Amino acid sequence: MQLPSGYGSHPPNYSAPSGHYSQVPNKAAASHLDNQYRASYYPTYYSAPAQNVMTPPVGTSVLNTQESQQLYNKTPPHTGGSAEGPIQGAISSASYLHTSAQQSYSAFGNHYSTSVSSSVASQGFPLNSDHYTMPVVSSAVYPNVSYSAAAGSVYGQAFTSQSLPAVGQFKETNTFSSQSTSVPHSLQQHVPVGYNTTLSTVSSAQSVQDNLCRNLAGSVAKVNNQINAGGIDSSQPVHPVSQSVLFTKPGAGTAVSSAVISSVRTPAPSLSSQPRSSPSVTQSPELALQEAIDSSSTTSSASPVLNNYDALEGGGYPEARSVTSSPVPAPSVPQTSKASKPFGYGYPTLQPGYQNAAPPTPVQPSNSGHHPGFQHYPQQYPGVNQLSSSLGGLSLQHSQQPESLRPVNLTQDRNILPVSSVPAPVPNLNSDLRKLNCSPDSFRCTLTNIPQTQALLNKAKLPLGLLLHPFRDLTQLPVITSSTIVRCRSCRTYINPFVSFIDQRRWKCNLCYRVNDVPEEFMYNPLTRSYGEPHKRPEVQNSTVEFIASSDYMLRPPQPAVYLFVLDVSHNAVEAGYLTIVCQSLLENLDKLPGDSRTRIGFITFDSTVQFYNLQEGLSQPQMLIVSDIDDIFLPTPDSLLVNLHESKELIKDLLNALPNMFTNTRETHSALGPALQAAFKLMSPTGGRISVFQTQLPSLGAGLLHSREDPNQRSSTKVVQHLGPATDFYKKLALDCSGQQTAVDLFLLSSQYSDLASLACMSKYSAGCIYYYPSFHRSHNPAQAEKLQKDLKRYLTRKIGFEAVMRIRCTKGLSIHTFHGNFFVRSTDLLSLANVNPDAGFAVQMSIEESLTDTSLVCFQTALLYTSSKGERRIRVHTLCLPVVSSLADVYAGADVQAVVCLLANMAVDRSVSSSLSDARDALVNAVVDSLAAYMSTASNLQQSMLIAPNSLKLFPLYILALLKQKAFRTGMSTRLDDRVYAMCQMKSQPLVHLMKMIHPNLYRIDKLIDESTIHVNDRVVPQPPLQKLSAEKLTREGAFLMDCGSIFYIWIGKNCDNNFIKDVLGYPNYASVPQKMTQLPEVDALSSERTRSFISWLRDSRPLSPVLQVIKDENPAKTDFFQHLIEDRTEAAFSYYEFLLNIQQQICK
Amino acid sequence: FLTEILIFQLLKVHLIMMLPSYFLIITLSDLECDYINARSCCSKLNKWVVPEVIGHAVVTVLMLISLHWFIFLLNLPVATWNIYRYIMVPSGNMGVFDPTEIHNRGQLKSHMKEAMIKLGFHLLCFFMYLYSCPIRA
């Protein structure tokens, strides 16, 4: 096939002899990356409108389009069903290529040290097989790895990951199990880190040009970046951030000393660089430019080195590397494969090529036995037949009656709780798509089988919606730097694993079905260093990816990290003593605040006046400026109130040390919160950033003053609960102003009396902030709350943060979003404006089916979160979820995700109780169960109507709804303070599913016999796995000790007759009587039971970002009501027991 | 004679009152297409709520005074709805149109529908008055 000249000249580059790379000066190469970015970074004026997220790619892509048209103008357009064929092939063959990237978020909470590692197993590519002469060794081994890793990764019950009997070094690979299908091999890069390095040293834009002319600098840059990364890593503050992936390799989760990483990582570049080709020297400038662009994408996604098994583990897995990396002789395996790139290869042979792609001999996944929900690869892989079927990837499995539909008689079956945590249902997709699908931790749908029509959805009586946790901490995330981000031209969807490639040059959008051209740049696959395999690019191999965005995605240059603390210093606040904790935490974490050299910080305090602090560099001590004119607040010295953190660090430290004692003798009881917030807004509006407000009482002066609305006598009323909504629109308006200026307000409310959280919360709700509430906070009288504040602050200050973010949720044509839940401002029908985004924020959306989905068998949802990282990079994190469409009611029930349903219902109920009334909301919750179970029972005709039957997938539904009704947010009849209630509602709206479920239905474990329990091994520790207990007092025995995991707090309940050995070994006291009333820590006793208990608790803790507070409760402790209120299956004076609730439901169904 | 003047005035009033509805439809569809910000859209629309309520109430009362029972009864439900809507705004909201809620629960659509109905109503009234004029004159 004839190629345009600009195009045909690439290959020589890639096939040039290897080994040159090591000679390319590293320094020059390194600058490539950042310049790539900076080029787009420096244009001074960004006139694009807000929607310019959607601006079509310009520049090179135009050229590419033309070329591709040229190439393909004779190709008959594929249409409809026949077009589906290739995708199956594409996916199946692509499954051999696993891109993997580990992002060591877990180790470095706030900076993005990301590594993308990849390789190709050539055997899967018959298309290219003549070119890729892959040595037998690698091809034989790779498939094995890829399957097991993939299996482990997507839905990995990766308890197993440690004990995998995988082959040799690949054992480590499997432990990457997180979300993306991945076989990490070969090289990894630390793109962002490299970028950041140079950003901070501020290399000038001058190098942009010469960089553009430099060929393939990118790949070298990578080599260099790794070195840089090492250096950077060690300079970064390392703090332990508990990672959200439970099951990781030793070392991955725990904070790894960065020094180790860097030292170990260093060998990688030299190994990896060997196989690379060097740029051809003689090129016309134009070509060179093109080349540079291509190379940039190289940089981005990875490099094609095949052999460095060790290198890929580099990121977060230093131990693994230290074992394997140095000894592995960098050998030569890939040399052959890399060089020959399919130069001018004829695409018309595509079809046969795909068909051949059936796996030669899929090796049994080594860990498959541990994944009951995940069928074995070979079985799922019918080979050529399936590929050639016209439905291709869209064919669903209709094998047998799924387990999720098995009828469960709720009134008889008392043990419905699973042994361990409730797993998310796996969408009924074929294995390839299933593997590629987004992790349920980030993206969940209430119905994993989407009903075909709204009528069917209405019949099912279940809500349809998505639960998102888009910014959660990931241990593994492919980061892509590419000059053009490939998106659909009409709906602007990002290219994702579920698009179909009609041929090599065109892809069909899976959301709007438009056929798009594949840009020239996308044709080159940096992973394999091969050309013409767009379906193997990392974007198409991972459903969660992150792009480094160009200037098209900016309205203004990325903002620096700016933090402003607004502190209440009235008498009430000083009395509570929170200032000491806040200042102490800030002092400790000052160096760990996410940010770069531009980070700015400021402080405002307020009582009846507003005090500002001049921290300008050069002052001998901080200067306090008091503004008493609170009706017309102004900034006394606008320039010196927000100062550079690094330049004024000493002054800031002085201030933080002095602040707790500055107001000790204050007699000021008033609080002018409103004016202080107005001042804060004025201060922040030029840049945007984060305002953290600490408030201890009802604001009583100036704008936004509030009055007490709570009637204490109504606290336990069963009738009307009033004042759940805000009293004034001041805070809402302020929040919207802030949101417009990219400022988020986070509220810490530490009060002992009513503070009208319902009104105050608005300032965070609509500015995408977060809310923390510490009822009856006192530093010395209430140590548990003090400890909680301390822990929360540590997480709050050091966690990742994204600034000036927007999130767009797209879905397949026919579906539409009608309600959003969470903290944000909805800017347009599908665009959420998030001034800040943090890893602990969850969102929910409700969807409706506008048009019938009869002509499609798959629907997709895509969220794209565009944000500025704390290092000043514009990034886009894209999650894509793919779900099947079903036409029968039974299938809809089979795919119901009960946890997601309950969380969405909780969100809806909060809305309902604010807009209508609490009792309406409660009724709606009960009706949700009644209606859906009634609808289910009417479909299953063979069931006896006298019993209460639920499908297996919904068997926990009534239990969870009952739990919800007994939540502080919705309970009636029990004394509940209004602020507590409102706070619980705020949490329901803004917490991600994992945290919310713990809050709704805590986990109860018996821990006095942990030695006998089955165990798993995590990080070389033995972690016992006690079974979940029902939340009922009948399970509590006086002889036992129980641990209740409520998400943010752990209760340990000790029975009266608890074994003395347990008390002695675990609690460190001789007998039950001597255990103190307030105990918040377990001592380290050298006994097996103590060790097991502690390892179990720390294992529970590691799995969540917030380190929960531990509280030991004795049976006669007054605090035991806190514990017992969580036993939701029991009867209380005001609420049903679980059994009564079931009977009640049954009654209503029969009615 | 009084009636004629009144009817004539009414014509004008309804013409004027059609403007808010028309304006409402345009602004809401702008919002739907993402041409304007929810914040500015709502502040624009909220400005018109009170004049509309007052205008309609005055017209209705005038009808009652001049004993035009039919027209009064025609106007009454609309006027009542306007007043009800205005009174029922929760204390924390920024008016009938709240930027934080307008995209939720299909509010945009219901506002749109309401604006359409009102526009139809005003048109109907306009022509009714227009043709009732010569007959009476």
Side-chain angles (χ1 to χ4, degrees), chain A residues 609-754:
Chain A
T609 59
V610 180
Q611 297 102 34
F612 298 87
Y613 296 87
N614 184 347
L615 298 166
Q616 193 62 39
E617 194 191 2
L619 288 175
S620 58
Q621 59 173 31
Q623 223 174 30
M624 191 206 273
L625 306 155
I626 302 175
V627 174
S628 52
D629 183 9
I630 55 168
D631 294 327
D632 183 21
I633 200 83
F634 62 93
L635 299 180
T637 53
D639 303 332
S640 51
L641 300 178
L642 272 180
V643 293
N644 188 298
L645 174 64
H646 303 283
E647 287 165 8
S648 305
K649 189 168 269 175
E650 286 313 309
L651 282 176
I652 293 165
K653 282 184 177 168
D654 286 351
L655 177 65
L656 288 175
N657 281 319
L659 209 53
N661 303 320
M662 268 159 74
F663 299 92
T664 36
N665 297 320
T666 185
R667 286 188 192 158
E668 198 54 74
T669 53
H670 283 296
S671 159
L673 176 65
L677 283 173
Q678 285 171 328
F681 167 65
K682 278 186 187 162
L683 197 52
M684 296 295 273
S685 53
T687 50
R690 180 173 81 188
I691 301 176
S692 315
V693 179
F694 292 81
Q695 169 74 5
T696 59
Q697 57 172 321
L698 206 61
S700 55
L701 270 185
L705 75 115
L706 299 168
H707 304 284
S708 180
R709 296 189 291 167
E710 189 189 31
D711 177 2
N713 301 326
Q714 295 291 311
R715 276 185 192 159
S716 57
S717 150
T718 49
K719 284 169 280 170
V720 195
V721 178
Q722 281 175 316
H723 308 307
L724 291 171
T728 161
D729 63 358
F730 172 82
Y731 295 98
K732 193 184 247 187
K733 275 183 177 152
L734 186 100
L736 294 183
D737 288 338
C738 285
S739 173
Q741 301 298 331
Q742 308 296 351
T743 307
V745 187
D746 294 341
L747 172 67
F748 288 79
L749 185 63
L750 319 112
S751 70
S752 38
Q753 338 94 335
Y754 175 72

Side-chain angles (χ1 to χ4, degrees), chain A residues 51 726 732 737 818-820, chain B residues 34 39 91 93 98 104-105:
Chain A
Q51 298 93 322
K732 193 184 247 187
D737 288 338
H818 71 89
T819 305
F820 300 89
Chain B
D34 205 4
R39 183 89 202 267
S91 56
N93 275 17
D98 191 285
N104 269 4
R105 281 169 269 137

Side-chain angles (χ1 to χ4, degrees), chain A residues 27 85 138 198 378 410 500 588 661 776 884 907 1010 1035 1105:
Chain A
K27 178 141 195 199
S138 71
T198 24
L410 291 174
S500 35
E588 281 164 15
N661 303 320
S776 40
N907 276 301
L1010 284 182
K1035 290 286 170 190

Side-chain angles (χ1 to χ4, degrees), chain A residues 972-992:
Chain A
T972 53
M974 278 175 85
S975 176
T976 311
R977 300 198 308 171
L978 191 51
D979 278 350
D980 287 353
R981 191 186 289 278
V982 171
Y983 179 61
M985 288 184 174
C986 292
Q987 283 200 304
M988 290 194 174
K989 294 275 273 186
S990 62
Q991 293 237 312

Side-chain angles (χ1 to χ4, degrees), chain A residues 55-199:
Chain A
T55 312
V58 286
T60 56
S61 67
V62 176
L63 178 69
N64 296 338
T65 318
Q66 284 167 352
E67 278 177 10
S68 55
Q69 278 163 356
Q70 233 176 328
L71 270 172
Y72 274 90
N73 52 5
K74 284 179 186 170
T75 316
H78 294 240
T79 49
S82 67
E84 315 288 5
I87 191 182
Q88 171 66 18
I91 287 163
S92 57
S93 60
S95 65
Y96 284 84
L97 168 87
H98 291 280
T99 315
S100 142
Q102 317 91 282
Q103 186 153 13
S104 36
Y105 280 136
S106 53
F108 312 99
N110 299 300
H111 87 279
Y112 310 99
S113 64
T114 314
S115 53
V116 179
S117 54
S118 58
S119 82
V120 67
S122 72
Q123 199 168 355
F125 293 98
L127 178 64
N128 299 321
S129 54
D130 44 344
H131 295 285
Y132 284 94
T133 50
M134 187 71 147
V136 181
V137 179
S138 71
S139 52
V141 170
Y142 269 124
N144 179 15
V145 178
S146 50
Y147 298 144
S148 48
S153 60
V154 185
Y155 303 106
Q157 261 76 339
F159 300 106
T160 58
S161 56
Q162 277 308 303
S163 49
L164 284 181
V167 195
Q169 312 146 335
F170 294 108
K171 184 176 177 189
E172 315 299 340
T173 320
N174 291 324
T175 60
F176 283 126
S177 56
S178 161
Q179 15 86 276
S180 53
T181 54
S182 56
V183 167
H185 356 94
S186 77
L187 237 230
Q188 90 269 22
Q189 313 163 256
H190 292 260
V191 176
V193 177
Y195 164 68
N196 290 328
T197 328
T198 24
L199 177 69

